[in-house]
Amino acid sequence: MSAQVLVAEDDPKQAELVRRYLERENHRVVVVHDGRAAIDEARRRTPDLVVLDVMMPKVDGLDVCRVLRAESDVPILLLTARTTEDDVLLGLDLGADDYVTKPYSPRQLVARIRALLRRVRRMRESGEQPLRVGELVVDPQRHEVTMGGVLLDCTPAEFRMLAVLAAEPGRAFTRAQLLSQAFGTDRYITERTVDVHVMNLRRKLEPDPRRPTYLLTVYGIGYKLRDADGPAA
């Protein structure tokens, strides 16, 4: 599963170590050492995945993540020394797909990259038909979400979660089930991540996100997508 990977890491020694490990996996690797260069190279090369250090000169990694996510759905894996849950959730909220905390082993990083590429490739190569729930359409082949014919700007993580919910409208999913089905069991994040993605999806799906009628909370359990024929709650 060879891919083009852009590594943005301001520590030259660490960046070179990551490069060597990724090239052993037959990936094509481009390394940059600041956020401005990361944006420029991502625009020029359209990589299959970006490994992005949060603490970088010129442009902060989180700002890079925000820019890249606004322009494409390229998978983004953050490298961060900020280990608090709020810091991690901020990165995921901006559109990152996964994260690894420093210090990390290169083998762990490569394994996480492998898993992320596998999930994204499986989703993009899926032959599934579009999922339709009322005016909502989730199209796995086009990797697009529309509501009433209007294209919604969803991150890859939001797309995967919405696809799980749309596949079984009316079913109540626990947070653990959503994490497992949308992201696999290889993630090292808490179930609070689901709440962040739900909050962001409601901003995009609901006329009034504070009073959701589509993406509903099932108290004591988790969340569900209202069946098109069901009550609006």
Side-chain angles (χ1 to χ4, degrees):
M1 188 188 298
S2 175
Q4 179 167 279
V5 180
L6 172 61
V7 176
E9 164 65 73
D10 67 337
D11 183 333
K13 291 183 178 180
Q14 188 66 28
E16 186 57 29
L17 183 62
V18 172
R19 180 207 290 273
R20 291 203 301 269
Y21 270 82
L22 288 174
E23 288 180 343
R24 289 177 189 172
E25 296 274 313
N26 296 318
H27 296 309
R28 304 178 306 282
V29 184
V30 176
V31 173
V32 296
H33 301 297
D34 65 73
R36 180 71 260 173
I39 294 172
D40 292 342
E41 286 298 312
R43 287 171 172 168
R44 187 166 73 90
R45 296 178 182 273
T46 59
D48 298 303
L49 184 140
V50 177
V51 178
L52 182 60
D53 188 16
V54 170
M55 302 295 290
M56 284 194 299
K58 297 187 179 180
V59 181
D60 181 89
L62 294 178
D63 288 331
V64 175
C65 182
R66 184 184 293 109
V67 170
L68 296 185
R69 184 53 67 236
E71 297 179 352
S72 76
D73 64 353
V74 61
I76 299 172
L77 187 149
L78 292 180
L79 304 176
T80 178
R82 301 171 178 175
T83 57
T84 68
E85 188 176 52
D86 285 342
D87 288 328
V88 169
L89 287 172
L90 175 59
L92 296 172
D93 191 17
L94 291 173
D97 296 274
D98 203 351
Y99 76 96
V100 172
T101 57
K102 295 183 175 182
Y104 59 85
S105 76
R107 291 179 61 189
Q108 176 202 14
L109 177 62
V110 169
R112 298 285 281 277
I113 290 172
R114 187 186 306 121
L116 181 53
L117 285 169
R118 184 168 57 245
R119 287 199 304 271
V120 172
R121 191 160 296 177
R122 185 168 58 242
M123 178 69 73
R124 290 175 177 173
E125 293 176 353
S126 170
E128 294 178 9
Q129 296 300 309
L131 303 168
R132 302 178 185 274
V133 184
E135 294 187 321
L136 176 69
V137 179
V138 182
D139 189 333
Q141 294 191 46
R142 294 179 178 271
H143 208 268
E144 292 180 349
V145 177
T146 57
M147 173 64 86
V150 178
L151 185 64
L152 303 183
D153 182 21
C154 292
T155 69
E158 292 166 359
F159 181 90
R160 291 195 296 272
M161 185 174 296
L162 195 56
V164 171
L165 291 162
E168 298 184 71
R171 173 186 168 182
F173 288 85
T174 66
R175 291 170 177 80
Q177 287 170 332
L178 285 170
L179 281 176
S180 175
Q181 294 192 39
F183 305 110
T185 58
D186 60 315
R187 294 180 66 87
Y188 296 83
I189 56 179
T190 72
E191 293 179 7
R192 187 181 168 196
T193 303
V194 174
D195 299 330
V196 173
H197 290 315
V198 166
M199 178 180 65
N200 291 334
L201 283 169
R202 281 174 171 164
R203 291 173 183 159
K204 300 169 184 181
L205 292 172
E206 305 283 357
D208 183 355
R210 296 170 299 178
R211 297 178 176 84
T213 59
Y214 225 82
L215 182 46
L216 306 176
T217 298
V218 182
Y219 293 100
I221 299 178
Y223 300 101
K224 70 177 180 180
L225 195 65
R226 178 173 62 87
D227 193 304
D229 299 322

